[in-house]
Amino acid sequence: MREPEELEDPPHEQYLERVCAIDVAKASGKVCTRVPHPSRPGARRTLVWDVDATTNAVLELAGQLAGERIEKVTLESTSDYWRIWFYLLEAAGLDVQLVNARDVRNAPGRPKTDKLDAVWQAKLTERGMLRPSFVPPAPVRVLRDYTRLRTDLTRERTRYWQRLEKLLEDALIKVSAVASALDTMSARDMVEALIAGERDPVVLAALARGRMKAKRAALIEALTGRFDDHHAELARMLLDQIDGLNAQIATLTSRVDDLIAAIPAARGVDADGSTGPGAGNSPDAARADAITRLDEIPGISTTGAQIILAEIGLDMTRFPTPGHLVSWAKLCPRTIQSGASSRAGRTGKGNPYLKGVLGEIAAAASRTGTFLGERYRRIVKRRGKLKALVAVARTILVIIWHLLTDPAARYHDLGPGYYASRTDTDRKARNHIRQLEALGFTVTLTAAA
């Protein structure tokens, strides 16, 4: 008989006497409290009532829950409707946890009503059977709002460039086939000249700058088309939209820089021990700021580092190990075991903004001559491109966890020869000899000079 394995309960799995659960909707919430019964020892008293989803009503509820000495409040993450409840109850000093709707589903075979859902959530809460979701602190939430809007506007700007390219194709203008992109200065000048009424392809091709001048003949052919007045009017509208988005993105970027500089955990430390906005940027600094340390990882830019900090925060105590962070980000497959069979499940959706930027970073790192690039090239041979990118993204997230856990740590690249340096040459030689002998050859090894 095998020895039994002892498993420790996570901190959130504990029995609570006084709990509250709220089934959240847009205009109201179904509140359920479960506390010890005042007159029947060992029994529980369950109260259920409706509360309007307004600031005054939620603040009144917070005072009532504090008066009843509620130990834990559970909210279901329904759309964005949970925010007013979470923010106000948290500000009132209550211990609030947000849980995934998948974790609080009612038991099969029972009616599905708001009242029963609230009671079920309260019962799960008092038994410690719910895992709280990660909700960053208020400064990081503000930063996240700015970085997410910047990401959305950047994608919208890309859509307008694509619309402009389709418009030029309709006008038989093929400048995008010659220029690397329409947002280059040369291509922009040519489009502006077309809008202004210039139709001579020779004159338009003369607006090329830098290396585009060497493509003059191809530009003349590409700029010969049927660009008329309606194309000019539509192109003007699209360029104005793009310019407006550029201005908004620049404003958001400036604001993001200020918000990160205002977070104490993101600041560096100068050689004299002083800290504050701008500290840690000098070569002799005792500790670099968080953005600089993340920027040292191959593939990560300043913008990418800002998005990562906004999505996972700087307090890694919320993720006890790198595996917890990777699992939360859905960059590792689920383990599915039944009896003697064990297989890997899907990674899951996860945070789309975090997974999106990590995918871009992994793709950029895969083209470098670094440890991460070599890791991608080793995995892609046997697992394919997509799984190799996910594996590299997971490695990058593990590195980020270590850098944020230890503010004094700096990234050190292991180099592309890391795997080769750990290869057992004798074992590899024996494997090759065995394969050649299986083919009928006699092998004699002679050491190279």
Side-chain angles (χ1 to χ4, degrees):
M1 180 178 179
R2 297 180 180 178
E3 291 292 330
E5 180 183 359
E6 181 179 355
L7 301 177
E8 295 185 3
D9 291 340
H12 66 272
E13 293 185 3
Q14 53 185 345
Y15 186 85
L16 301 173
E17 286 191 346
R18 298 177 173 272
V19 299
C20 173
I22 305 176
D23 188 69
V24 176
K26 183 175 183 178
S28 64
K30 186 73 72 172
V31 180
C32 173
T33 59
R34 283 177 62 82
V35 299
H37 200 279
S39 59
R40 299 202 303 268
R44 307 284 289 168
R45 184 177 69 174
T46 302
L47 298 178
V48 182
W49 72 98
D50 290 318
V51 176
D52 293 335
T54 59
T55 299
N56 292 330
V58 176
L59 288 176
E60 182 181 353
L61 173 66
Q64 181 178 350
L65 297 180
E68 294 184 8
R69 295 179 286 116
I70 295 297
E71 301 174 71
K72 180 82 69 175
V73 180
T74 295
L75 298 174
E76 182 182 351
S77 57
T78 304
S79 184
D80 286 331
Y81 305 150
W82 60 270
R83 295 184 184 275
I84 184 172
W85 304 91
F86 190 97
Y87 295 164
L88 294 179
L89 295 178
E90 182 188 47
L94 293 167
D95 186 2
V96 189
Q97 66 175 1
L98 183 71
V99 297
N100 194 310
R102 180 183 63 248
D103 298 339
V104 293
R105 286 178 179 169
N106 208 335
R110 299 182 60 186
K112 174 70 172 67
T113 65
D114 291 345
K115 181 176 70 173
L116 293 179
D117 286 348
V119 174
W120 178 252
Q121 292 176 32
K123 290 180 179 180
L124 294 176
T125 303
E126 68 184 11
R127 290 167 174 81
M129 298 177 66
L130 297 176
R131 294 179 299 175
S133 299
F134 170 63
V135 180
V140 179
R141 292 201 297 261
V142 174
L143 174 63
R144 178 184 284 186
D145 290 339
Y146 279 92
T147 56
R148 287 186 174 185
L149 180 58
R150 182 178 63 179
T151 299
D152 294 339
L153 293 184
T154 301
R155 294 171 180 170
E156 189 65 23
R157 181 180 61 183
T158 301
R159 295 188 185 98
Y160 277 105
W161 280 118
Q162 293 171 345
R163 293 186 182 109
L164 178 60
E165 182 175 7
K166 292 185 67 174
L167 181 66
L168 294 177
E169 291 287 342
D170 183 74
L172 312 185
I173 301 297
K174 308 284 291 185
V175 65
S176 59
V178 181
S180 59
L182 286 178
D183 58 354
T184 60
M185 297 180 66
S186 297
R188 178 63 185 260
D189 290 344
M190 295 172 190
V191 175
E192 290 285 359
L194 284 169
I195 295 173
E198 182 61 56
R199 299 293 184 267
D200 189 349
V202 177
V203 176
L204 294 171
L207 298 174
R209 307 184 187 187
R211 290 181 295 179
M212 282 282 288
K213 293 181 178 179
K215 304 178 181 179
R216 183 174 180 275
L219 283 172
I220 293 176
E221 292 295 328
L223 291 167
T224 302
R226 297 180 179 179
F227 194 93
D228 55 27
D229 292 340
H230 99 277
H231 292 121
E233 184 177 9
L234 295 177
R236 179 76 275 158
M237 293 180 182
L238 293 175
L239 288 178
D240 289 343
Q241 291 283 355
I242 291 170
D243 292 340
L245 290 172
N246 285 333
Q248 294 172 353
I249 291 171
T251 301
L252 290 172
T253 299
S254 176
R255 186 59 179 150
V256 167
D257 293 336
D258 296 339
L259 290 172
I260 293 179
I263 300 177
R267 300 173 184 169
V269 179
D270 289 330
D272 58 358
S274 62
T275 184
N281 293 328
S282 59
D284 59 342
R287 189 179 76 198
D289 60 89
I291 294 295
T292 300
R293 289 186 289 118
L294 295 187
D295 198 17
E296 295 174 346
I297 303 174
I300 295 185
S301 62
T302 299
T303 300
Q306 291 172 346
I307 296 175
I308 291 172
L309 292 183
E311 296 302 327
I312 68 175
L314 292 107
D315 181 15
M316 290 296 102
T317 59
R318 302 293 298 269
F319 305 100
T321 66
H324 284 80
L325 178 58
V326 169
S327 178
W328 173 79
K330 296 295 188 293
L331 287 176
C332 60
R334 293 190 304 118
T335 299
I336 303 175
Q337 181 180 354
S338 178
S341 64
S342 180
R343 60 186 177 89
R346 293 182 178 272
T347 57
K349 294 183 179 180
N351 185 320
Y353 292 91
L354 179 61
K355 293 189 73 173
V357 71
L358 286 175
E360 295 175 2
I361 293 169
S366 67
R367 297 188 290 268
T368 62
T370 61
F371 166 77
L372 295 173
E374 183 62 22
R375 177 167 174 76
Y376 171 81
R377 289 185 285 273
R378 284 172 58 89
I379 298 175
V380 74
K381 298 176 183 177
R382 50 190 171 85
R383 302 305 299 271
K385 293 183 179 180
L386 295 180
K387 291 186 177 180
L389 286 176
V390 172
V392 173
R394 177 195 177 279
T395 302
I396 292 172
L397 196 57
V398 170
I399 295 171
I400 292 171
W401 183 91
H402 285 285
L403 291 178
L404 295 180
T405 301
D406 182 7
R410 301 296 290 268
Y411 175 75
H412 173 69
D413 187 57
L414 297 176
Y418 174 76
Y419 290 106
S421 65
R422 297 171 62 87
T423 301
D424 187 345
T425 55
D426 293 337
R427 180 180 179 181
K428 196 169 186 178
R430 289 195 302 269
N431 290 338
H432 288 309
I433 291 173
R434 190 182 301 111
Q435 293 175 15
L436 289 172
E437 288 176 344
L439 296 175
F441 293 97
T442 301
V443 181
T444 303
L445 298 182
T446 304

